[in-house]
């Protein structure tokens, strides 16, 4: 494939988290200097080392509740000439745009890609399947759309010399309205350096409140197992695992989580895992760097005390 036409699509709200890492992925795949970043709506600096240029597609309707409009704007910008490759990050919003763009352009799409090679014979990508127990390879001879798992990808450095172009685009207004969740406070779960995650072993709302307090005290994000979400204790957006988000924080504290593969596939790249569970045979201890066999409430209360109550919310029944 000669002189490939490659786009990296970056929603403005996600530039800080994903732009440098998605650029690094493109550079490592061997097509640095060929890739052009397309920023959806003004807001954030996407100039990173390895990009050919940055184009900002400007329209006030390109918000986080309008994936249809974003796909429409991208298709308009790309025109009649199909790109060789379009890369998105693996966030939920980017996935919503990616599938619509792929359908609109008539291109195949592969999600959750972990690596990519590009040569004269075409594109080869790999992704985790069967809850991460296997790696599946895909080969495509023609253009395609990918969403990329950037969990363990370090960003490249900024480069202020990358040229930036502002392009006005036409976007149909969407009826959707974006209302931030009550859990939008604090670091984003996908990129947080500290995650405090709760499971069914929390037993009740008091345990849930302790998890939320510890996450705030450590300036971390709240995570949850599917079982805890199904209990109604946490929002679906906090779910970690096969049906939720993939995270790789510096510290992952799993409280009352048994550690089935459906959960651990979403956090097994964490740099340090601390597991707290009453069951000494819980599978989570096989993955943990540090383990504590203890009641969740008792352990959380002690962690809150040891990490310093200063700045913590004193509400709740401790």
């Amino acid at each position: 494939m000669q002189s490939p036409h490659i786009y990296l699509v970056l929603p403005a709200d996600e530039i800080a988290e994903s732009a440098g890492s998605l650029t690094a992925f493109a550079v490592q795949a061997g097509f640095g200097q060929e890739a052009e970043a397309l920023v959806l709506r003004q807001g954030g600096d996407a100039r990173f080392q390895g990009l050919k240029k940055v184009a900002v597609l400007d329209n006030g309707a390109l918000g986080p509740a309008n994936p249809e409009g974003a796909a429409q704007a991208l298709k308009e910008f790309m025109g009649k000439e199909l790109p060789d490759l379009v890369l998105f990050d693996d966030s939920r919003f980017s996935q919503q745009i990616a599938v619509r763009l792929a359908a609109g352009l008539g291109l195949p799409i592969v999600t959750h890609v972990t690596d990519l090679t590009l040569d004269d014979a075409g594109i080869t990508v790999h992704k985790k399947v069967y809850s991460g127990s296997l790696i599946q390879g895909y080969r495509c001879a023609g253009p395609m759309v990918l969403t990329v798992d950037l969990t363990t990808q370090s960003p490249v450095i900024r480069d202020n010399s990358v040229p930036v172009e502002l392009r006005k685009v036409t976007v149909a207004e969407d009826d959707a309205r974006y209302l931030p969740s009550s859990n939008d406070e604090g670091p984003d779960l996908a990129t947080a350096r500290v995650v405090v995650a709760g499971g069914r072993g929390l037993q009740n709302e008091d345990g849930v409140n302790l998890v939320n307090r510890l996450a705030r005290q450590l300036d971390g994000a709240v995570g949850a197992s599917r079982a805890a979400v199904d209990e109604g204790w946490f929002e679906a957006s906090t779910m970690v695992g096969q049906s939720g988000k993939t995270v790789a924080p510096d510290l992952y504290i799993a409280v009352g989580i048994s550690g089935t593969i459906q959960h651990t596939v979403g956090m097994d790249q964490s740099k340090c895992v601390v597991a707290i569970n009453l069951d000494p045979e819980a599978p989570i201890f096989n993955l943990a760097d540090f383990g504590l066999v203890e009641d969740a409430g008792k352990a959380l209360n002690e962690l809150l005390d040891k990490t310093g109550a200063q700045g913590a919310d004193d509400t709740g029944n401790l």
Side-chain angles (χ1 to χ4, degrees), residues 19 44-49 51 54 157-164:
D45 188 351
R47 295 174 296 173
F48 284 88
Q49 192 174 74
L51 290 173
V54 174
I157 62 174
R158 293 192 175 275
D159 183 356
N160 293 335
S161 68
V162 175
V164 179

Side-chain angles (χ1 to χ4, degrees), residues 17-309:
E17 291 80 18
S18 62
S21 297
L22 193 59
T23 303
F25 180 87
V27 170
Q28 289 179 13
F31 46 78
Q33 305 302 326
E34 300 289 348
E36 178 177 350
L38 303 183
V39 178
L40 301 176
R41 194 165 53 85
Q42 293 191 66
D45 188 351
R47 295 174 296 173
F48 284 88
Q49 192 174 74
L51 290 173
K52 181 168 64 176
K53 66 177 180 177
V54 174
V56 178
L57 310 188
D58 188 36
N59 189 297
L62 287 174
N66 192 0
E68 290 281 359
Q72 173 192 341
L74 290 166
K75 188 176 177 183
E76 174 189 317
F77 176 84
M78 293 174 187
K80 296 182 179 180
E81 183 179 352
L82 287 178
D84 294 295
L85 194 60
V86 184
L87 301 182
F88 291 80
D89 68 11
D90 216 17
S91 69
R92 190 174 299 274
F93 182 49
S94 289
Q95 289 178 36
Q96 291 173 345
I97 303 169
V99 295
R100 288 167 170 81
L101 179 65
L105 296 176
L107 298 180
I109 180 171
V110 181
T111 58
H112 315 308
V113 169
T114 56
D115 68 75
L116 176 153
T117 56
L118 186 67
D119 55 37
D120 290 337
I123 300 167
T124 301
V125 298
H126 293 89
K127 63 177 288 185
K128 294 180 180 179
V129 295
Y130 296 112
S131 301
S133 59
L134 294 175
I135 301 294
Q136 176 74 51
Y138 300 85
R139 190 162 185 82
C140 185
M144 66 191 309
V145 177
L146 306 175
T147 71
V148 181
D149 180 354
L150 299 173
T151 305
T152 60
Q153 183 70 63
S154 299
V156 292
I157 62 174
R158 293 192 175 275
D159 183 356
N160 293 335
S161 68
V162 175
V164 179
E165 171 190 4
L166 182 64
R167 290 280 294 271
K168 293 290 183 180
V169 290
T170 304
V171 177
E173 290 284 352
D174 194 273
D175 291 334
R177 293 293 179 266
Y178 176 62
L179 298 176
S181 162
S182 59
N183 280 355
D184 281 352
E185 299 178 2
D188 179 70
L189 174 59
T191 57
R193 296 182 62 185
V194 176
V195 173
V196 183
R200 186 175 284 153
L202 294 176
Q203 301 181 13
N204 52 44
E205 292 284 352
D206 289 340
V208 175
N209 291 334
L210 292 172
V211 165
N212 290 331
R213 286 189 57 189
L214 183 61
R216 287 196 298 271
Q217 189 157 297
L218 298 178
D219 194 24
V222 173
S225 68
R226 184 183 186 93
V229 171
D230 289 344
E231 289 284 348
W233 295 340
F234 298 96
E235 294 186 13
S237 60
T238 65
M239 190 189 306
V240 174
Q242 183 179 11
S243 302
K245 294 183 178 178
T246 299
V247 299
D250 293 337
L251 174 62
Y252 189 91
I253 304 176
V255 187
I257 294 175
S258 62
T260 63
I261 192 171
Q262 288 80 7
H263 180 78
T264 58
V265 70
M267 46 71 67
D268 59 3
Q269 297 300 311
S270 302
K271 294 180 177 64
C272 180
V273 177
V274 175
I276 301 169
N277 202 294
L278 264 179
D279 179 7
E281 302 300 321
I284 191 68
F285 288 122
N286 296 327
L287 187 64
D289 297 285
F290 301 94
L292 175 63
V293 179
E294 184 57 272
D295 172 75
K298 183 178 179 180
L300 285 167
N301 272 305
E302 189 160 346
L303 280 171
L304 282 163
D305 181 59
K306 295 295 185 183
T307 56

